[in-house]
Structures are given as structure tokens and as C-alpha cells.
Amino acid sequence: MARKKKQLGEILVEWGVITTAGVDEALQHARKEGLRIGEALVSLSLADEEDVTKALATQFDLEYVDLERQVVVPDLMEAIPPDIIRRHLVLPIAREGNQLKVIITDPLDLETLDMLRFRLNAEIECALASRTRLRDFIERFVGSDVSIDETVHQLERDIVSDVNSDVESKVEVDTEGAPVIRLVSMLITEAVNLRASDIHIEPMSNRIRVRYRIDGVCRERDNIPKRMQGSVINRIKIMSGVDLAEKRLPTDGRITMTVGGAEVDFRVSFIPGYHGESVVLRILRPESARIGIAGLGFGDDDHEKFDRIIKRPNGIFLVTGPTGSGKTTTLYAALNELNRPDRKIITAEDPIEYNFTGINQCQVNEVTGLTFAAILRSMLRQAPNIILVGEIRDLEVAEVAIQAALTGHLVFSTLHTNDAPSALTRLIDIGVKPFLAASSIQAVLAQRLIRVICGECKEVDPSPDMKLLRVLGFSEDELQNATVYRGAGCAACGGSGYRGRLGIFELMEMNHALAELAIKRAPLSEMRREARASGMRTLLEDGRRKIFGGITTPEELVRITQVSELVMD
């Protein structure tokens, strides 16, 4: 007698994912809404989509594929037409003779399986993946790489090689089917799916170079032919609301697009260059500004200190570091923590990158005279509790910020210095009186962003570079007991061995000793020694902890850390 197949709910109850009461609730919801029980469980948040998919695979005796953790190389895409892959969410992954193995999302979709057998004249073996992860995978590999190349080839055929740039700009861009529209949309979608932070489109003498900045490192994509330059740049100008005729001056715009079901904003910058206008699209993801303080990468002690300092009623909190070191994200995380109905928060930003509910955000506009200093003075008449100034650029802004701090406001801002103690000397150098700087600043946080070892291919490094570790300041005892990790490289990280970034931090809290040194205009080296004696951990020391914690690699820390910090006492 054939063994009775277990129900989906029974399997999940056995695994401890849900309770019997949860199954009953899901069955009632499924009958009411016309859903399957698996869809009802996910809809009611009683079970995760991956757990439901695993249970379905067990129920139908199929292989379960986790497309975020298992390496699936999309080499067989040509086995099934792209329109069928997208429409029916099927993914070919292996072929042996006349048998084709495909990933599907619904084991009961017999109509699609019969259609594949008929269209491909092959036996179909099935594996199961969740709908969300399979759709994301297909969007990344079918919706971008293959189609982008096809679109480039089509554009090459459509645009005559000897037309000038003025005629190029007249290539049809008024219908969704126009190849140039598809090309630009696909480039943007691909960059978002690859977790890029910027898209760089750079005209060169004989081609257009396209690069994506992923985890802080630029990766080059295939080039676009030079003759498409005018069409591509004009299309981006139309999308970002920039004047097509203006090609001699730098211009800025903004794009909002729906990618993968979510709205994504892009800040666009055009700069004239020798071979044509260079374009950079900065990808602004709202979730990156709302990761929370815990997700920044602080150690437990620095996290506790940071949390305590930002809740003080007044004073200045400075975040320092070079461009792209995550200063804005850190400040937004602090504001998000402090954003409560009983507090009034006002910001002056250039530009406003993310919108926050409950925070009054002002955009700097130098042309109309709406400078940081002007906004800051107006802010004080609005009776705020907390003020964010995007950047202290000159003495005027610094003096107004200090005045606000001394009159009972908590002020957040950024400064461009290499380390935390340098912030005090920088303020004094631009003209701030030493006693004002010393009395108004509560703390200075210097930071950098380091790439994190990919969790999918992380492994112990069998032969770490001992010379490099010594340069980073590891003692002989530490080297004897050290376990260093690396990323071997996989599909999840694009072969780089890294996926995502975290901060390394240097948090200097002001005290009487540091204030006295600032008032005396003591040398920077003396202030740094006092800060370390007072408990400040340097960027390098925090980086060393993250190496031993298996978060990053020695090579990455050397790449990010300044040489002056490597030889620092």
C-alpha cells in the first residue's frame, strides 16, 4: 500500500515552525481569501517563505535550492527562451543527455511542466526554490546581462556609425520599446540588483566605459560603443529632468524608478569632460539609512558610549572621515534613534538624500542664498531640540553651530579629517577660538568602511601574510594564536570574497584633560596620546578586532587604513 503523503501543515508542525492552531488559522484564511495554505501561512507571517518552500520540497520529494546560499551558475539560460523563463519563473540549471533539470516554484503547476516538455522535447527534472529568490535571480541574470548585450547590438544596428552627436540625440526615445530606453533601464536595474552604490558612465576616446561601485570598489561592465554616447546621456537627462541643451556646465538631477517592486531614488550628476559629459548616478536606498545603530559595526563598548553621548541634551557631536566613509549613514542612524514625538529635529543638508517622517529637512541652495549658515540661523528661531548640519565648511557655519550647542541644542555635523583628534585642531585652524571648541564639543567619531568577508564562501586562511599582520601591529603572541579568515569567492559575492561593508570607528569623548590641551593649542600627537589614554580605540585597533572576529581580512584593513595610522604609536 502506498505511503500517504504528509500535508504541508503537518510537516511544518513536526519541524516546530508553526503550531496546530497556526495551521487551523491559516486554513481558515486560505478558504476565505482563495489562497493555498502555504500562501496563507506567509501572508499571516506564521511561517517564512523559505520554510514553506522547504516543506513543499519535502512533501513532493524534490530537491530544495536556496538561491542565496547555493552557487547556481546561469550557464544554461539559452536552453529556455528568456520570455518563458520570466513569465513562468523556471530556471534551467543542468542538462544530461535528453534530461533538463529546472528550478520551479510550484510543484503543482503541471501545465507549465507539460509545456516545457513539449517545447523543448526533453524530459524535465524539477528542483524547488522560493518565488521571491527565484524572481530576484532571474531579474539579475535574465533581465539584465543577456538583454543588455542584445539591446547594445540592436542599437549598433540602428545607429549609423557616421552620424554626428546632434543626430544621435534624435534617436527615438518617446516609446517604451525604444532600444535606448531599454538599455538605460537595464543598466540601472542591473546595478541595483548587484547592490551597487554608484553607476559611472564615462565617455572615452573610442568607447563609453560603464562601472558599478560595489562595496566601495569600482567594477567595470562591458563598454558601450562610442556612437551611442549622445543617445544614452540624453536619455538619462530626460529621466532626471536636466536641460538637454546644457552641455558646458555641471548639472544635477534626480530620478525615481521602481526596481524589483521597490521605489529607488538616484541622484544624478553631469560634468563636462574632454570626451563628453561624464555621468554618475548615486543609488539612494532608504533601508541603508535606517539600518539602526546596532547595524553600523560598533563594538559593544563603543556602541554603549555612542548611545549615551547622542542622548545628551546639548553640545556638538562630530563625525569625520573622507567622502564615502559612511558619515551620513551614521548621523541618520543617530537621528532615527532620537526621532520621537517630544523632540523637534531640523536638518540642513546638501543635498537631502533620504526623507524621514517627523524630521524637518532643509535643502541648501547657494544660488538663492540659502546657505548652511543662513539655514542654521533660521533654525534657532524654530526652537529645535536637535540640529543636523550636513557639513562644517567654514568659520561662519562653525560659529553658529557652536552658538547653538552652547545655548542648549544638540548639534550633529561632519568634518573632513583623517582621525578624531584632528577635528579639534581643524576647527581651531579655520578660526574657532580654542576655548569655544573645547567647551562645545561632546565627542568626535572618525570612521571608515571596510568590506566584510562573504558569509557563503568564508573559510580559514591557511597561510595568512605574517609580514602584513606585523605591519598592522599584531604582537607575536597574537600571531601565534590568531585565526585569520578570507573569502574564497563565489557567485553570491561575484568572486570578490567580500559582501557588504561595516564601519571601523575611533570614538573620542571629550574630557577635562583634552579640553585643556585644546585650549593650549597642544600638538596633535599630544592630543592623540591623551585620547588613547582616556580609552579611545584607534581605527587600526578596531580593524584588528574585526580581523580576529572573522569580519574582514588584513588586506582589506591595509587598503582602507592610512599609512600614517599604520606607523602610529
Side-chain angles (χ1 to χ4, degrees):
M1 184 176 176
R3 182 168 58 89
K4 184 182 176 183
K5 185 181 292 183
K6 287 186 178 180
Q7 297 297 312
L8 183 69
E10 288 181 276
I11 296 170
L12 291 169
V13 169
E14 282 182 9
W15 290 354
V17 174
I18 56 172
T19 62
T20 305
V23 174
D24 293 338
E25 183 185 351
L27 285 169
Q28 289 180 9
H29 184 70
R31 282 192 290 269
K32 181 181 177 182
E33 301 294 335
L35 303 173
R36 294 181 183 176
I37 183 172
E39 295 170 329
L41 286 166
V42 174
S43 174
L44 294 170
S45 300
L46 294 171
D48 183 82
E49 186 181 12
E50 296 306 312
D51 288 329
V52 171
T53 306
K54 290 175 190 174
L56 278 172
T58 301
Q59 185 184 21
F60 288 91
D61 197 23
L62 296 174
E63 178 189 350
Y64 164 74
V65 179
D66 185 341
L67 287 168
E68 279 198 354
R69 298 182 180 276
Q70 291 171 246
V71 178
V72 176
V73 181
D75 287 342
L76 288 172
M77 290 297 193
E78 74 284 352
I80 300 177
D83 61 321
I84 292 178
I85 291 176
R86 293 191 198 95
R87 189 182 314 124
H88 297 283
L89 290 183
V90 294
L91 182 70
I93 57 171
R95 188 201 294 273
E96 187 174 340
N98 194 42
Q99 184 166 303
L100 184 67
K101 184 176 182 179
V102 298
I103 297 176
I104 60 174
T105 63
D106 183 1
L108 294 176
D109 188 1
L110 302 180
E111 185 179 339
T112 294
L113 295 177
D114 287 341
M115 179 271 294
L116 288 175
R117 291 188 184 98
F118 176 76
R119 288 280 300 264
L120 305 176
N121 192 25
E123 290 299 315
I124 303 297
E125 178 189 350
C126 296
L128 210 60
S130 69
R131 175 174 288 272
T132 298
R133 289 188 180 172
L134 183 55
R135 184 175 59 242
D136 290 346
F137 189 93
I138 288 171
E139 279 183 3
R140 176 176 172 183
F141 289 104
V142 180
S144 58
D145 282 8
V146 175
S147 299
I148 286 174
D149 295 335
E150 290 174 353
T151 303
V152 168
H153 293 319
Q154 183 178 346
L155 273 169
E156 283 192 279
R157 293 192 297 269
D158 291 348
I159 300 176
V160 181
S161 60
D162 60 355
V163 296
N164 59 41
S165 59
D166 289 334
V167 177
E168 277 184 33
S169 67
K170 296 175 184 175
V171 171
E172 291 296 325
V173 292
D174 58 350
T175 65
E176 283 300 318
V180 70
I181 291 180
R182 291 203 306 274
L183 173 62
V184 172
S185 296
M186 288 170 186
L187 285 170
I188 291 174
T189 301
E190 180 182 61
V192 171
N193 291 336
L194 289 173
R195 304 177 298 104
S197 60
D198 304 277
I199 306 170
H200 298 261
I201 300 173
E202 303 160 321
M204 308 188 83
S205 60
N206 57 354
R207 60 192 171 101
I208 305 172
R209 182 168 69 172
V210 178
R211 295 189 293 173
Y212 303 147
R213 189 181 296 278
I214 302 171
D215 294 332
V217 177
C218 282
R219 297 186 190 176
E220 190 164 344
R221 206 206 179 281
D222 291 342
N223 298 312
I224 297 174
K226 180 70 174 176
R227 54 182 167 270
M228 298 179 191
Q229 178 175 316
S231 302
V232 169
I233 292 176
N234 282 344
R235 174 57 192 163
I236 298 172
K237 283 189 173 184
I238 290 171
M239 293 173 72
S240 56
V242 170
D243 183 5
L244 291 177
E246 184 54 76
K247 298 181 180 180
R248 297 171 300 173
L249 297 173
T251 50
D252 297 304
R254 204 172 181 109
I255 297 172
T256 299
M257 270 183 64
T258 300
V259 180
E263 267 202 357
V264 182
D265 284 334
F266 302 84
R267 197 176 78 219
V268 190
S269 171
F270 300 85
I271 295 181
Y274 185 75
H275 296 294
E277 289 177 281
S278 174
V279 186
V280 175
L281 291 87
R282 180 78 183 272
I283 303 173
L284 306 174
R285 292 180 174 85
E287 68 273 11
S288 68
R290 294 178 171 86
I291 60 174
I293 295 172
L296 296 174
F298 282 115
D300 291 340
D301 50 351
D302 279 344
H303 185 182
E304 183 275 328
K305 192 185 296 185
F306 179 88
D307 201 48
R308 172 169 47 79
I309 292 168
I310 65 170
K311 290 177 180 175
R312 292 178 181 173
N314 64 292
I316 296 178
F317 186 99
L318 290 175
V319 181
T320 77
T323 302
S325 59
K327 300 187 296 297
T328 301
T329 300
T330 298
L331 288 175
Y332 280 153
L335 289 187
N336 215 28
E337 178 72 19
L338 299 171
N339 188 12
R340 299 288 182 271
D342 61 335
R343 298 190 181 109
K344 184 176 178 69
I345 302 174
I346 305 181
T347 73
E349 304 174 59
D350 184 21
I352 295 173
E353 294 192 353
Y354 304 102
N355 294 314
F356 284 83
T357 303
I359 296 179
N360 302 277
Q361 296 173 270
C362 302
Q363 169 77 52
V364 170
N365 188 338
E366 303 278 354
V367 176
T368 61
L370 201 59
T371 61
F372 276 121
I375 294 174
L376 197 46
R377 288 193 182 91
S378 299
M379 279 182 184
L380 299 179
R381 294 193 287 273
Q382 296 268 320
N385 301 104
I386 298 164
I387 293 169
L388 167 66
V389 184
E391 182 184 345
I392 294 179
R393 296 176 177 174
D394 52 39
L395 177 59
E396 185 181 15
V397 175
E399 285 180 337
V400 181
I402 288 171
Q403 178 190 348
L406 294 176
T407 53
H409 303 85
L410 182 60
V411 180
F412 292 96
S413 191
T414 68
L415 204 61
H416 288 284
T417 63
N418 285 332
D419 59 8
S422 299
L424 285 168
T425 56
R426 169 73 177 143
L427 287 175
I428 294 169
D429 285 345
I430 65 174
V432 174
K433 292 181 173 59
F435 75 90
L436 289 177
S439 58
S440 61
I441 291 176
Q442 295 286 349
V444 182
L445 177 73
Q447 67 178 70
R448 301 289 189 279
L449 290 177
I450 53 168
R451 291 183 293 174
V452 174
I453 298 171
C454 174
E456 306 305 320
C457 59
K458 181 178 177 179
E459 63 181 19
V460 174
D461 190 343
S463 55
D465 188 334
M466 290 299 176
K467 183 178 178 181
L468 199 62
L469 291 172
R470 289 189 181 93
V471 168
L472 287 170
F474 288 101
S475 67
E476 291 301 324
D477 288 342
E478 288 175 323
L479 293 176
Q480 292 297 323
N481 303 312
T483 302
V484 179
Y485 294 85
R486 68 179 182 184
C490 65
C493 61
S496 69
Y498 301 96
R499 185 178 173 85
R501 290 191 291 175
L502 282 177
I504 55 172
F505 301 98
E506 182 175 286
L507 181 54
M508 182 185 79
E509 187 174 8
M510 286 295 290
N511 55 31
H512 291 301
L514 283 169
E516 287 179 7
L517 289 175
I519 292 170
K520 294 176 183 175
R521 297 177 181 259
L524 179 59
S525 57
E526 193 175 335
M527 295 184 66
R528 186 182 288 121
R529 278 195 295 271
E530 176 57 40
R532 296 186 67 186
S534 302
M536 182 189 79
R537 183 185 303 110
T538 67
L539 290 166
L540 189 57
E541 289 166 344
D542 194 34
R544 286 204 293 260
R545 292 209 316 179
K546 287 179 168 65
I547 290 173
F548 274 164
I551 295 171
T552 192
T553 63
E555 291 79 8
E556 178 67 6
L557 185 58
V558 168
R559 185 181 74 86
I560 290 299
T561 313
Q562 298 284 337
V563 175
S564 61
E565 292 164 340
L566 294 179
V567 297
M568 188 174 63
D569 292 336

